[in-house]
Amino acid sequence: MIKNIAVLGGGTMGHGIAESFALHGYSVNVYEYDETIRTHMMEAIESELTFLYEQSYIDVADIAATLGRIKVFDSMKDATIDADYIIEAVAENIDLKCKIFKELDGYCKAEAIFATNTSSLSLDKMISAVSAERQTKMMVCHWYNPAHLMPIAELSNFGNMPEVIYKEVEQLYLNIDKQVVTILKDVPGLVANRIQQAVAREVFSLIELGVATPEDIDKALKFGPAFRYATTGQLEVADMGGLDIWCIVGDNLLKDMDNRKEANPILRKKVEEGKLGMKSGEGFFKYTDQMRIQCKNDFNKRLITQLKTSKKYI
């Protein structure tokens, strides 16, 4: 049974993963090598928990209880030696991940399950770094950002592990109120990111073509397809609309839509100009320091509202 969790990396994804497990009663050790991140991680988690309380999503007692279940380490061995489940959330670097898993395999419990939070790197390459026995206890467990709010978890079931171990991890995620998507084949992007990139490709293309302003393109998505997608999947939408209609529209539209196999030039130009979005103060929109904080809070409020609403339908 999985009781003790270890998270490798306390940055954007790692601290949110740790927060989610701790909020639902699990003891969590977090390893973070960077002293600055390590020093401020608990402060960031407390701030997010306080925000959840202010939005009436958790009780005030949950804040201290959650923080009390998290321990921060500057030693990876100390953080993982007694862990039942270890998930890494470090940089997307295959060599780094392989090095970490090889080291962990040397001293972690034989029954410990290893997981990687990635959607773009191959599990096969990471598995090659560990022993044959450990390969049957290693998987992809991909979270979405912000990890403590997004309810999805994509879990790999590629045939390398016994079904009983997969089910144990699946139950772990169900216990923390995640909606589990079982991934049966190791493909870049898994499921959710591939769908997201398909939408993004056409959105960037519409801007490039000058079809509408960025504001109106986002409005079309938010109050058109995405309005349904918050509660209804694409295949359900297609069935409701009629597959014959979807077939006709596909024949009419797809030949004129973007089918390039690399990032859109308008996106690449923004990156080259240092216009990286909210974190740099300008992307497709401009942000002051005050606006960045407000935009993030507004975004999180909308996610919390969706979480509250979705619980009625799950």
Side-chain angles (χ1 to χ4, degrees), residues 40 44 55 94 103 105 137 232 234 264 286:
H40 296 287
Q55 303 307 311
I94 190 68
E103 179 180 336
D105 194 31
K137 303 179 184 72
T232 311
Q234 175 58 58
N264 189 288
K286 292 184 178 180

Side-chain angles (χ1 to χ4, degrees), residues 279-294:
K279 62 183 178 182
S280 68
E282 182 177 354
F284 289 105
F285 307 106
K286 292 184 178 180
Y287 309 89
T288 63
D289 289 342
Q290 185 175 358
M291 284 176 62
R292 282 200 291 262
I293 296 171
Q294 188 62 48

